[in-house]
Coordinates of all heavy atoms in Angstrom, one line a residue:
M1 N 111.9 255.8 179.3 CA 112.4 257.0 180.0 C 113.5 256.6 181.0 O 114.5 257.3 181.1 CB 111.2 257.7 180.6 CG 111.6 259.0 181.3 SD 112.0 260.2 180.1 CE 112.0 261.6 181.2
N2 N 113.2 255.6 181.8 CA 114.2 255.2 182.8 C 115.5 254.8 182.2 O 116.6 255.2 182.7 CB 113.6 254.0 183.6 CG 113.9 254.1 185.0 OD1 114.5 255.1 185.5 ND2 113.6 253.1 185.8
S3 N 115.5 254.1 181.0 CA 116.8 253.7 180.4 C 117.5 254.9 179.8 O 118.7 255.0 179.8 CB 116.5 252.7 179.3 OG 115.7 253.2 178.3
T4 N 116.7 255.9 179.4 CA 117.3 257.1 178.9 C 118.1 257.9 180.0 O 119.2 258.4 179.7 CB 116.2 258.1 178.3 OG1 115.5 257.4 177.3 CG2 116.9 259.3 177.7
I5 N 117.5 257.9 181.2 CA 118.2 258.6 182.3 C 119.5 257.8 182.7 O 120.5 258.4 182.9 CB 117.3 258.7 183.5 CG1 116.2 259.7 183.1 CG2 118.0 259.2 184.7 CD1 115.1 259.8 184.1
L6 N 119.4 256.5 182.7 CA 120.6 255.7 183.0 C 121.7 255.9 181.9 O 122.9 255.9 182.2 CB 120.2 254.3 183.2 CG 119.4 254.0 184.4 CD1 119.0 252.5 184.4 CD2 120.1 254.3 185.7
L7 N 121.2 256.0 180.7 CA 122.2 256.2 179.6 C 122.9 257.5 179.7 O 124.1 257.7 179.5 CB 121.5 256.1 178.2 CG 122.3 256.2 177.0 CD1 123.4 255.1 177.0 CD2 121.5 256.2 175.8
A8 N 122.1 258.5 180.1 CA 122.7 259.9 180.3 C 123.6 259.9 181.4 O 124.7 260.5 181.4 CB 121.6 260.9 180.5
L9 N 123.3 259.2 182.5 CA 124.2 259.1 183.7 C 125.5 258.4 183.3 O 126.6 258.9 183.7 CB 123.5 258.4 184.8 CG 124.3 258.2 186.1 CD1 124.8 259.5 186.7 CD2 123.6 257.4 187.1
A10 N 125.4 257.4 182.5 CA 126.6 256.7 182.1 C 127.5 257.5 181.2 O 128.7 257.6 181.4 CB 126.2 255.4 181.3
L11 N 126.9 258.3 180.4 CA 127.6 259.2 179.5 C 128.3 260.3 180.4 O 129.5 260.7 180.1 CB 126.7 259.9 178.5 CG 127.4 260.8 177.5 CD1 128.5 260.0 176.7 CD2 126.4 261.4 176.5
V12 N 127.6 260.8 181.3 CA 128.2 261.8 182.2 C 129.4 261.2 183.0 O 130.5 261.9 183.1 CB 127.2 262.4 183.3 CG1 127.9 263.1 184.4 CG2 126.2 263.2 182.5
L13 N 129.3 260.0 183.5 CA 130.4 259.4 184.2 C 131.6 259.2 183.2 O 132.8 259.4 183.6 CB 130.0 258.1 184.8 CG 129.0 258.2 185.9 CD1 128.5 256.8 186.4 CD2 129.6 258.9 187.1
V14 N 131.4 258.8 182.0 CA 132.4 258.6 181.1 C 133.2 259.9 180.8 O 134.4 260.0 180.8 CB 131.9 258.0 179.7 CG1 133.0 258.1 178.6 CG2 131.5 256.5 179.9
L15 N 132.4 261.0 180.5 CA 133.0 262.3 180.2 C 133.7 262.8 181.4 O 134.8 263.4 181.3 CB 131.9 263.2 179.7 CG 131.3 262.9 178.4 CD1 130.2 263.8 178.0 CD2 132.3 262.9 177.3
E16 N 133.2 262.7 182.6 CA 133.8 263.2 183.8 C 135.1 262.4 184.1 O 136.0 263.0 184.7 CB 132.9 263.1 185.0 CG 131.7 264.1 185.0 CD 132.2 265.5 185.3 OE1 133.2 265.6 186.1 OE2 131.6 266.4 184.8
G17 N 135.2 261.2 183.7 CA 136.3 260.4 184.0 C 137.5 260.6 183.0 O 138.6 260.2 183.3
L18 N 137.2 261.1 181.9 CA 138.2 261.3 180.9 C 139.3 262.3 181.3 O 140.5 262.1 181.1 CB 137.6 261.8 179.6 CG 136.9 260.8 178.7 CD1 136.3 261.4 177.5 CD2 137.8 259.7 178.3
G19 N 138.9 263.4 182.0 CA 139.9 264.4 182.5 C 141.0 263.8 183.4 O 142.2 263.8 183.1
P20 N 140.6 263.2 184.5 CA 141.6 262.7 185.4 C 142.3 261.5 184.8 O 143.5 261.2 185.2 CB 140.8 262.2 186.7 CG 139.4 262.4 186.4 CD 139.2 263.2 185.1
M21 N 141.7 260.7 183.9 CA 142.4 259.5 183.4 C 143.4 260.0 182.4 O 144.6 259.4 182.4 CB 141.3 258.6 182.6 CG 142.0 257.4 182.1 SD 140.8 256.3 181.2 CE 140.6 257.2 179.7
L22 N 143.1 260.9 181.5 CA 144.1 261.3 180.4 C 145.1 262.4 180.8 O 146.2 262.4 180.4 CB 143.3 261.8 179.2 CG 142.4 260.7 178.6 CD1 141.6 261.4 177.4 CD2 143.2 259.6 178.1
Y23 N 144.6 263.3 181.7 CA 145.4 264.5 182.0 C 145.4 264.7 183.5 O 144.8 265.7 184.0 CB 145.0 265.7 181.3 CG 144.9 265.6 179.8 CD1 143.7 265.4 179.2 CD2 146.0 265.6 179.0 CE1 143.6 265.2 177.8 CE2 146.0 265.4 177.7 CZ 144.7 265.2 177.1 OH 144.7 265.1 175.7
P24 N 145.9 263.8 184.4 CA 145.8 264.0 185.8 C 146.4 265.2 186.4 O 145.8 265.8 187.3 CB 146.4 262.7 186.4 CG 147.3 262.2 185.3 CD 146.7 262.6 184.0
R25 N 147.5 265.6 185.9 CA 148.2 266.9 186.5 C 147.4 268.1 186.1 O 147.1 268.9 187.0 CB 149.6 267.0 185.9 CG 150.6 266.1 186.6 CD 152.0 266.5 186.3 NE 152.9 265.4 186.4 CZ 153.4 264.7 185.4 NH1 153.3 265.2 184.2 NH2 154.2 263.7 185.6
A26 N 147.0 268.2 184.9 CA 146.2 269.4 184.5 C 144.8 269.4 185.2 O 144.3 270.5 185.6 CB 146.0 269.4 183.0
W27 N 144.2 268.2 185.4 CA 142.9 268.1 186.1 C 143.1 268.6 187.5 O 142.3 269.3 188.0 CB 142.4 266.7 186.0 CG 141.1 266.5 186.5 CD1 139.9 266.7 185.9 CD2 140.8 265.9 187.8 NE1 138.9 266.4 186.7 CE2 139.4 265.9 187.9 CE3 141.5 265.5 188.9 CZ2 138.7 265.5 189.0 CZ3 140.9 265.0 190.0 CH2 139.5 265.0 190.1
R28 N 144.2 268.1 188.2 CA 144.4 268.5 189.5 C 144.6 270.0 189.7 O 144.1 270.7 190.6 CB 145.6 267.8 190.1 CG 145.8 267.9 191.6 CD 147.0 267.1 192.1 NE 146.7 265.7 192.1 CZ 147.4 264.8 191.4 NH1 148.4 265.1 190.7 NH2 147.0 263.5 191.5
K29 N 145.4 270.6 188.7 CA 145.6 272.1 188.7 C 144.3 272.8 188.5 O 144.1 273.8 189.2 CB 146.6 272.5 187.6 CG 148.0 272.1 188.0 CD 149.0 272.3 186.9 CE 149.0 273.8 186.5 NZ 150.1 274.1 185.4
M30 N 143.4 272.3 187.6 CA 142.1 273.0 187.4 C 141.3 272.9 188.7 O 140.7 273.9 189.0 CB 141.4 272.3 186.3 CG 140.1 272.9 186.0 SD 139.0 272.0 184.8 CE 138.7 270.5 185.8
I31 N 141.2 271.8 189.3 CA 140.5 271.6 190.6 C 141.0 272.6 191.6 O 140.2 273.2 192.3 CB 140.4 270.2 191.0 CG1 139.7 269.3 190.0 CG2 139.8 270.1 192.4 CD1 138.3 269.6 189.7
A32 N 142.3 272.6 191.8 CA 142.9 273.5 192.7 C 142.6 275.0 192.4 O 142.3 275.8 193.3 CB 144.4 273.3 192.8
A33 N 142.6 275.4 191.1 CA 142.3 276.7 190.8 C 140.8 277.0 191.1 O 140.4 278.1 191.5 CB 142.6 277.0 189.3
M34 N 139.9 276.0 190.9 CA 138.5 276.2 191.1 C 138.2 276.4 192.6 O 137.3 277.1 193.0 CB 137.7 275.1 190.6 CG 137.6 275.0 189.1 SD 136.6 273.7 188.5 CE 135.0 274.1 189.0
T35 N 139.0 275.9 193.5 CA 138.8 276.1 194.9 C 139.1 277.5 195.3 O 138.6 277.9 196.4 CB 139.7 275.1 195.8 OG1 141.1 275.4 195.5 CG2 139.4 273.7 195.5
Q36 N 139.8 278.2 194.5 CA 140.1 279.6 194.8 C 139.0 280.6 194.4 O 139.1 281.8 194.7 CB 141.5 280.0 194.2 CG 142.6 279.1 194.7 CD 142.8 279.1 196.2 OE1 142.8 280.1 196.8 NE2 143.1 277.9 196.7
L37 N 138.1 280.1 193.5 CA 137.1 281.0 193.0 C 136.0 281.3 194.0 O 135.7 280.5 194.9 CB 136.4 280.3 191.8 CG 137.3 280.2 190.5 CD1 136.5 279.3 189.5 CD2 137.7 281.5 190.0
P38 N 135.5 282.5 194.0 CA 134.4 282.8 194.9 C 133.1 282.0 194.6 O 132.9 281.5 193.5 CB 134.1 284.3 194.7 CG 134.9 284.7 193.5 CD 135.8 283.6 193.1
D39 N 132.3 281.8 195.6 CA 131.1 281.0 195.5 C 130.2 281.5 194.4 O 129.5 280.7 193.7 CB 130.3 281.0 196.8 CG 131.0 280.2 197.9 OD1 131.9 279.4 197.5 OD2 130.6 280.2 199.0
T40 N 130.1 282.8 194.2 CA 129.2 283.3 193.2 C 129.6 282.9 191.8 O 128.7 282.5 191.0 CB 129.1 284.9 193.2 OG1 130.4 285.4 193.1 CG2 128.5 285.3 194.5
I41 N 130.9 282.8 191.5 CA 131.3 282.4 190.2 C 131.0 280.9 190.0 O 130.6 280.5 188.9 CB 132.9 282.7 190.1 CG1 133.2 284.2 190.2 CG2 133.4 282.1 188.8 CD1 132.6 285.0 189.1
L42 N 131.3 280.1 191.0 CA 131.0 278.7 190.9 C 129.5 278.4 190.7 O 129.1 277.6 190.0 CB 131.5 278.0 192.2 CG 133.0 277.9 192.3 CD1 133.4 277.2 193.7 CD2 133.6 277.1 191.2
R43 N 128.7 279.2 191.4 CA 127.2 279.1 191.3 C 126.8 279.4 189.8 O 126.0 278.7 189.2 CB 126.5 279.9 192.3 CG 126.5 279.3 193.6 CD 125.5 280.1 194.5 NE 125.5 279.5 195.9 CZ 126.1 280.0 196.9 NH1 126.7 281.2 196.8 NH2 126.1 279.4 198.1
R44 N 127.3 280.5 189.3 CA 127.0 280.9 187.9 C 127.5 279.8 186.9 O 126.8 279.5 186.0 CB 127.7 282.2 187.6 CG 127.0 283.4 188.2 CD 127.6 284.7 187.8 NE 127.1 285.8 188.6 CZ 127.6 287.0 188.7 NH1 128.7 287.2 188.0 NH2 127.0 287.9 189.4
F45 N 128.7 279.3 187.1 CA 129.2 278.2 186.3 C 128.3 277.0 186.3 O 127.9 276.4 185.3 CB 130.6 277.9 186.7 CG 131.3 276.9 185.8 CD1 131.6 277.2 184.5 CD2 131.5 275.6 186.3 CE1 132.2 276.3 183.7 CE2 132.1 274.7 185.5 CZ 132.5 275.0 184.2
G46 N 128.0 276.6 187.6 CA 127.1 275.4 187.7 C 125.7 275.7 187.1 O 125.1 274.8 186.5
G47 N 125.2 276.9 187.3 CA 123.9 277.2 186.8 C 123.9 277.1 185.2 O 122.9 276.7 184.6
G48 N 125.0 277.6 184.7 CA 125.1 277.6 183.2 C 125.2 276.2 182.7 O 124.6 275.9 181.7
L49 N 125.8 275.3 183.4 CA 125.9 273.9 183.0 C 124.5 273.2 183.1 O 124.2 272.5 182.2 CB 126.9 273.1 183.9 CG 128.4 273.5 183.6 CD1 129.3 272.8 184.7 CD2 128.8 273.1 182.2
V50 N 123.8 273.6 184.1 CA 122.4 273.0 184.3 C 121.5 273.5 183.2 O 120.8 272.7 182.5 CB 121.8 273.4 185.7 CG1 120.4 273.0 185.7 CG2 122.6 272.7 186.8
V51 N 121.6 274.7 182.8 CA 120.8 275.3 181.8 C 121.2 274.6 180.4 O 120.3 274.2 179.6 CB 120.8 276.8 181.7 CG1 120.2 277.4 180.4 CG2 120.2 277.4 182.9
A52 N 122.5 274.5 180.2 CA 122.9 273.9 178.9 C 122.5 272.5 178.9 O 122.1 272.0 177.8 CB 124.5 274.0 178.9
G53 N 122.5 271.8 180.0 CA 122.1 270.4 180.0 C 120.6 270.3 179.7 O 120.2 269.4 178.9
F54 N 119.8 271.1 180.2 CA 118.3 271.1 179.9 C 118.1 271.5 178.5 O 117.2 270.8 177.8 CB 117.6 272.1 180.8 CG 117.2 271.5 182.2 CD1 117.6 272.1 183.3 CD2 116.5 270.3 182.3 CE1 117.3 271.6 184.6 CE2 116.2 269.8 183.5 CZ 116.6 270.4 184.7
V55 N 118.8 272.4 177.9 CA 118.6 272.8 176.5 C 119.0 271.6 175.6 O 118.2 271.3 174.7 CB 119.4 274.1 176.2 CG1 119.5 274.3 174.7 CG2 118.8 275.3 176.9
I56 N 120.1 271.0 175.9 CA 120.5 269.8 175.1 C 119.5 268.7 175.2 O 119.1 268.1 174.2 CB 121.9 269.4 175.5 CG1 122.9 270.4 175.1 CG2 122.2 268.0 174.8 CD1 124.3 270.2 175.6
Y57 N 119.0 268.5 176.4 CA 118.0 267.4 176.6 C 116.7 267.7 175.8 O 116.2 266.9 175.1 CB 117.7 267.3 178.1 CG 116.6 266.3 178.4 CD1 116.8 264.9 178.3 CD2 115.3 266.8 178.7 CE1 115.8 264.0 178.6 CE2 114.3 265.9 178.9 CZ 114.5 264.5 178.9 OH 113.5 263.6 179.1
Y58 N 116.3 269.0 175.9 CA 115.1 269.4 175.2 C 115.2 269.3 173.7 O 114.4 268.7 173.0 CB 114.7 270.9 175.6 CG 113.6 271.4 174.8 CD1 112.3 271.1 175.2 CD2 113.7 272.3 173.7 CE1 111.2 271.6 174.5 CE2 112.6 272.8 173.0 CZ 111.4 272.4 173.4 OH 110.3 272.9 172.7
M59 N 116.4 269.7 173.2 CA 116.6 269.6 171.7 C 116.7 268.1 171.3 O 116.1 267.8 170.2 CB 118.0 270.3 171.4 CG 117.9 271.8 171.5 SD 119.5 272.6 171.4 CE 120.1 272.0 169.8
L60 N 117.3 267.3 172.1 CA 117.3 265.9 171.7 C 116.0 265.2 171.8 O 115.6 264.4 170.9 CB 118.3 265.1 172.6 CG 119.8 265.4 172.4 CD1 120.6 264.7 173.4 CD2 120.2 264.9 171.0
T61 N 115.2 265.5 172.8 CA 113.8 264.9 172.9 C 113.0 265.4 171.7 O 112.1 264.6 171.2 CB 113.2 265.2 174.2 OG1 113.1 266.6 174.4 CG2 113.9 264.5 175.3
K62 N 113.1 266.6 171.3 CA 112.3 267.1 170.1 C 112.8 266.5 168.8 O 112.0 266.2 167.9 CB 112.4 268.6 170.0 CG 111.6 269.4 171.1 CD 110.2 269.1 170.9 CE 109.4 269.8 172.0 NZ 108.0 269.5 171.9
T63 N 114.1 266.2 168.7 CA 114.6 265.7 167.5 C 114.3 264.2 167.4 O 113.9 263.7 166.3 CB 116.2 265.9 167.4 OG1 116.4 267.3 167.5 CG2 116.7 265.3 166.2
I64 N 114.6 263.5 168.5 CA 114.4 262.0 168.5 C 112.9 261.6 168.5 O 112.5 260.6 167.9 CB 115.2 261.4 169.7 CG1 116.7 261.6 169.5 CG2 114.9 259.9 169.8 CD1 117.5 261.2 170.6
G65 N 112.2 262.4 169.3 CA 110.7 262.1 169.3 C 110.3 261.8 170.6 O 109.8 261.3 171.4

């Protein structure tokens, strides 16, 4: 279980790093645009990502065993 969490963290870091590495200008514009959004929108977006992550995790654990 511990190695699974570390593997997931490594994958998140790789995916998070692709944006600024490949498209730094577009990434910077996106971050600047996100700073203008109201807190409620950011909370909903973050909550949706958390729920999606739990659903994917649940699906993978049921599939893999």
